[in-house]
PDB file of all heavy atoms in Angstrom:
ATOM      1  N   LYS A 771      97.184 160.656  60.412  1.00 93.00           N
ATOM      2  CA  LYS A 771      96.828 159.865  61.596  1.00 93.00           C
ATOM      3  C   LYS A 771      97.005 160.722  62.861  1.00 93.00           C
ATOM      4  O   LYS A 771      96.142 160.748  63.740  1.00 93.00           O
ATOM      5  CB  LYS A 771      97.757 158.639  61.651  1.00 93.00           C
ATOM      6  CG  LYS A 771      97.507 157.705  62.788  1.00 93.00           C
ATOM      7  CD  LYS A 771      96.520 156.655  62.423  1.00 93.00           C
ATOM      8  CE  LYS A 771      96.397 155.596  63.489  1.00 93.00           C
ATOM      9  NZ  LYS A 771      95.368 154.616  63.171  1.00 93.00           N
ATOM     10  N   PHE A 772      98.131 161.427  62.926  1.00 91.00           N
ATOM     11  CA  PHE A 772      98.439 162.257  64.090  1.00 91.00           C
ATOM     12  C   PHE A 772      97.357 163.326  64.280  1.00 91.00           C
ATOM     13  O   PHE A 772      96.923 163.610  65.399  1.00 91.00           O
ATOM     14  CB  PHE A 772      99.819 162.891  63.870  1.00 91.00           C
ATOM     15  CG  PHE A 772     100.258 163.814  64.957  1.00 91.00           C
ATOM     16  CD1 PHE A 772     100.542 163.330  66.225  1.00 91.00           C
ATOM     17  CD2 PHE A 772     100.409 165.176  64.720  1.00 91.00           C
ATOM     18  CE1 PHE A 772     100.955 164.187  67.237  1.00 91.00           C
ATOM     19  CE2 PHE A 772     100.819 166.040  65.721  1.00 91.00           C
ATOM     20  CZ  PHE A 772     101.095 165.539  66.986  1.00 91.00           C
ATOM     21  N   LEU A 773      96.898 163.899  63.182  1.00 94.00           N
ATOM     22  CA  LEU A 773      95.887 164.974  63.266  1.00 94.00           C
ATOM     23  C   LEU A 773      94.467 164.424  63.277  1.00 94.00           C
ATOM     24  O   LEU A 773      93.507 165.185  63.346  1.00 94.00           O
ATOM     25  CB  LEU A 773      96.048 165.933  62.077  1.00 94.00           C
ATOM     26  CG  LEU A 773      97.375 166.687  61.982  1.00 94.00           C
ATOM     27  CD1 LEU A 773      97.452 167.472  60.678  1.00 94.00           C
ATOM     28  CD2 LEU A 773      97.557 167.627  63.173  1.00 94.00           C
ATOM     29  N   ASP A 774      94.347 163.086  63.181  1.00 94.00           N
ATOM     30  CA  ASP A 774      93.048 162.427  63.145  1.00 94.00           C
ATOM     31  C   ASP A 774      92.177 162.979  62.003  1.00 94.00           C
ATOM     32  O   ASP A 774      90.997 163.298  62.189  1.00 94.00           O
ATOM     33  CB  ASP A 774      92.350 162.602  64.512  1.00 94.00           C
ATOM     34  CG  ASP A 774      91.256 161.573  64.713  1.00 94.00           C
ATOM     35  OD1 ASP A 774      91.244 160.575  63.970  1.00 94.00           O
ATOM     36  OD2 ASP A 774      90.396 161.787  65.595  1.00 94.00           O
ATOM     37  N   THR A 775      92.800 163.106  60.845  1.00 95.00           N
ATOM     38  CA  THR A 775      92.117 163.655  59.668  1.00 95.00           C
ATOM     39  C   THR A 775      91.858 162.524  58.680  1.00 95.00           C
ATOM     40  O   THR A 775      92.774 161.749  58.393  1.00 95.00           O
ATOM     41  CB  THR A 775      93.048 164.682  58.951  1.00 95.00           C
ATOM     42  OG1 THR A 775      93.522 165.573  59.915  1.00 95.00           O
ATOM     43  CG2 THR A 775      92.343 165.419  57.850  1.00 95.00           C
ATOM     44  N   PRO A 776      90.632 162.425  58.133  1.00 95.00           N
ATOM     45  CA  PRO A 776      90.389 161.365  57.147  1.00 95.00           C
ATOM     46  C   PRO A 776      91.233 161.580  55.889  1.00 95.00           C
ATOM     47  O   PRO A 776      91.595 162.713  55.568  1.00 95.00           O
ATOM     48  CB  PRO A 776      88.904 161.480  56.826  1.00 95.00           C
ATOM     49  CG  PRO A 776      88.420 162.734  57.453  1.00 95.00           C
ATOM     50  CD  PRO A 776      89.471 163.268  58.380  1.00 95.00           C
ATOM     51  N   VAL A 777      91.552 160.478  55.216  1.00 95.00           N
ATOM     52  CA  VAL A 777      92.339 160.559  53.976  1.00 95.00           C
ATOM     53  C   VAL A 777      91.400 160.211  52.829  1.00 95.00           C
ATOM     54  O   VAL A 777      91.090 159.035  52.623  1.00 95.00           O
ATOM     55  CB  VAL A 777      93.527 159.573  54.025  1.00 95.00           C
ATOM     56  CG1 VAL A 777      94.302 159.611  52.710  1.00 95.00           C
ATOM     57  CG2 VAL A 777      94.443 159.891  55.206  1.00 95.00           C
ATOM     58  N   PRO A 778      90.879 161.217  52.128  1.00 93.00           N
ATOM     59  CA  PRO A 778      89.881 160.904  51.094  1.00 93.00           C
ATOM     60  C   PRO A 778      90.473 160.170  49.905  1.00 93.00           C
ATOM     61  O   PRO A 778      91.325 160.692  49.200  1.00 93.00           O
ATOM     62  CB  PRO A 778      89.345 162.288  50.682  1.00 93.00           C
ATOM     63  CG  PRO A 778      90.317 163.286  51.194  1.00 93.00           C
ATOM     64  CD  PRO A 778      91.192 162.646  52.224  1.00 93.00           C
ATOM     65  N   ARG A 779      90.028 158.946  49.717  1.00 91.00           N
ATOM     66  CA  ARG A 779      90.462 158.117  48.581  1.00 91.00           C
ATOM     67  C   ARG A 779      90.007 158.816  47.296  1.00 91.00           C
ATOM     68  O   ARG A 779      88.900 159.326  47.211  1.00 91.00           O
ATOM     69  CB  ARG A 779      89.814 156.743  48.733  1.00 91.00           C
ATOM     70  CG  ARG A 779      90.072 155.756  47.642  1.00 91.00           C
ATOM     71  CD  ARG A 779      91.515 155.324  47.553  1.00 91.00           C
ATOM     72  NE  ARG A 779      91.907 154.336  48.543  1.00 91.00           N
ATOM     73  CZ  ARG A 779      93.058 153.648  48.488  1.00 91.00           C
ATOM     74  NH1 ARG A 779      93.912 153.835  47.515  1.00 91.00           N
ATOM     75  NH2 ARG A 779      93.353 152.792  49.414  1.00 91.00           N
ATOM     76  N   GLY A 780      90.876 158.887  46.328  1.00 90.00           N
ATOM     77  CA  GLY A 780      90.514 159.529  45.064  1.00 90.00           C
ATOM     78  C   GLY A 780      90.862 161.006  45.036  1.00 90.00           C
ATOM     79  O   GLY A 780      90.832 161.632  43.983  1.00 90.00           O
ATOM     80  N   THR A 781      91.174 161.576  46.217  1.00 93.00           N
ATOM     81  CA  THR A 781      91.541 162.996  46.254  1.00 93.00           C
ATOM     82  C   THR A 781      92.950 163.153  46.796  1.00 93.00           C
ATOM     83  O   THR A 781      93.798 163.787  46.168  1.00 93.00           O
ATOM     84  CB  THR A 781      90.554 163.794  47.162  1.00 93.00           C
ATOM     85  OG1 THR A 781      89.239 163.493  46.751  1.00 93.00           O
ATOM     86  CG2 THR A 781      90.810 165.290  47.066  1.00 93.00           C
ATOM     87  N   ALA A 782      93.178 162.584  47.984  1.00 95.00           N
ATOM     88  CA  ALA A 782      94.513 162.700  48.581  1.00 95.00           C
ATOM     89  C   ALA A 782      95.511 161.888  47.751  1.00 95.00           C
ATOM     90  O   ALA A 782      95.157 160.829  47.209  1.00 95.00           O
ATOM     91  CB  ALA A 782      94.486 162.181  50.012  1.00 95.00           C
TER      92      ALA A 782
END
Side-chain angles (χ1 to χ4, degrees):
K771 181 90 172 176
F772 178 67
L773 298 174
D774 200 16
T775 310
V777 177
R779 177 66 79 167
T781 309

